[in-house]
Amino acid sequence: MNDNQLLRYSRHILMDDIGIEGQEKILAAHVLIIGAGGLGSPAALYLASAGVGTITLVDNDTVDLTNLQRQIMHDTERVGLPKAESGKAMLARINPDVRVIALQERLEGARLDELVAQADVVLDCSDNFATRHAVNRACVEHRVPLVSGAAIQLDGQVSVFDPRREDAPCYGCLFPPEQAFEDVQCSLMGVFSPLVGIIGAMQAAEALKLIVQLGQSLAGRLLLLDARTMEWTSIKVPRNPDCSVCGAKH
Ligand SMILES: [Zn+2]
């Protein structure tokens, strides 16, 4: 680290749980963020400010006026631009050290596999089950930890699925891909603006903890937030030996 970096990251370096060694792990890390919307915005902003060396930011959408109520990585001037590009510009302003790869595409198939395999941690900040299941399958396949978040109206949830751990469930253990879960999207149901900030920031926190190998991750636990009462519920999620994604393989 140069003098500038020692200053920029000094409040991490001062921490016993991170220190120089932990910050160097952060600087060397590659995080894949799928979705540059409500969850992806705060997650990417914190990961960039914290100094994650490479961030691949994927979103096939463009910035819409209705996004700006909560998608804090974008601003009024960027309406109409690709979210990935808009996000890249914002992250560069916060921390020019970070290499941001902006991809305006819908990730699937071999392309998704390729990008997941390159990442140290994947953040699922998408808004639909098809993407979540595809991302989970790729993370199980390549044994890359997945930090998953979701928010609708006043309900949020966050968890970590870590296929490197024999005892930890995958996303499919919790939400079997064979079962038809209905997508409930913000565009129809609405979402409370700061709720996505809370959940997205927690995703960034879990990603940094995994990178630094700090504390205990949310693997095996699902946190549910009811923002009406601001109460968190922690649910233990066991691994399902019959899971169609991770069950037969391991
Ligand atoms: Zn599973």
Side-chain angles (χ1 to χ4, degrees):
M1 269 184 271
N2 60 37
D3 287 352
N4 242 316
Q5 289 174 312
L6 290 170
L7 280 175
R8 182 184 281 268
Y9 307 116
S10 57
R11 300 311 190 260
H12 267 170
I13 294 167
L14 283 167
M15 289 173 59
D16 294 336
D17 289 297
I18 299 183
I20 293 257
E21 200 185 324
Q23 187 60 45
E24 276 175 346
K25 287 182 188 164
I26 296 171
L27 290 166
H30 184 168
V31 177
L32 170 62
I33 302 177
I34 297 167
L39 300 171
S41 284
L45 292 174
Y46 274 115
L47 292 176
S49 62
V52 167
T54 306
I55 294 175
T56 301
L57 190 60
V58 189
D59 200 303
N60 69 335
D61 211 357
T62 53
V63 180
D64 184 84
L65 186 57
T66 59
N67 299 151
L68 300 182
Q69 164 251 20
R70 65 199 177 284
Q71 301 187 12
I72 57 173
M73 189 160 55
H74 314 295
D75 64 23
T76 312
E77 285 177 10
R78 307 248 178 76
V79 169
L81 294 179
K83 285 187 187 178
E85 282 303 327
S86 164
K88 180 178 176 166
M90 182 67 95
L91 300 184
R93 271 162 51 181
I94 288 171
N95 191 348
D97 281 352
V98 180
R99 176 168 161 252
V100 181
I101 302 163
L103 302 174
Q104 190 190 6
E105 54 190 277
R106 189 173 197 91
L107 276 193
E108 47 198 5
R111 179 73 171 143
L112 175 61
D113 271 313
E114 179 194 336
L115 290 172
V116 166
Q118 291 169 5
D120 298 305
V121 181
V122 175
L123 267 66
D124 183 356
C125 301
S126 71
D127 62 354
N128 64 85
F129 281 110
T131 301
R132 288 188 189 131
H133 284 303
V135 171
N136 178 58
R137 268 190 290 272
C139 285
V140 169
E141 177 72 29
H142 298 283
R143 290 182 169 261
V144 177
L146 169 63
V147 185
S148 175
I152 196 80
Q153 294 193 344
L154 287 146
D155 295 301
Q157 64 180 51
V158 58
S159 189
V160 168
F161 304 100
D162 193 340
R164 300 169 306 176
R165 284 176 45 176
E166 287 301 317
D167 59 326
C170 81
Y171 184 80
C173 295
L174 180 62
F175 298 105
E178 307 75 33
Q179 288 176 26
F181 289 98
E182 218 171 299
D183 278 321
V184 275
Q185 285 177 347
C186 300
S187 55
L188 298 172
M189 303 289 285
V191 62
F192 188 47
S193 166
L195 177 65
V196 290
I198 296 168
I199 300 294
M202 288 192 68
Q203 288 183 268
E206 288 299 298
L208 290 173
K209 283 168 57 193
L210 287 163
I211 291 164
V212 176
Q213 295 169 291
L214 180 172
Q216 280 122 32
S217 81
L218 279 174
R221 284 180 294 154
L222 172 69
L223 288 188
L224 302 168
L225 173 63
D226 180 349
R228 295 163 196 85
T229 54
M230 220 40 111
E231 283 200 50
W232 290 94
T233 307
S234 177
I235 297 172
K236 277 198 176 163
V237 184
R239 182 147 180 213
N240 174 9
D242 299 323
C243 173
S244 64
V245 186
C246 73
K249 261 189 99 78
H250 300 283

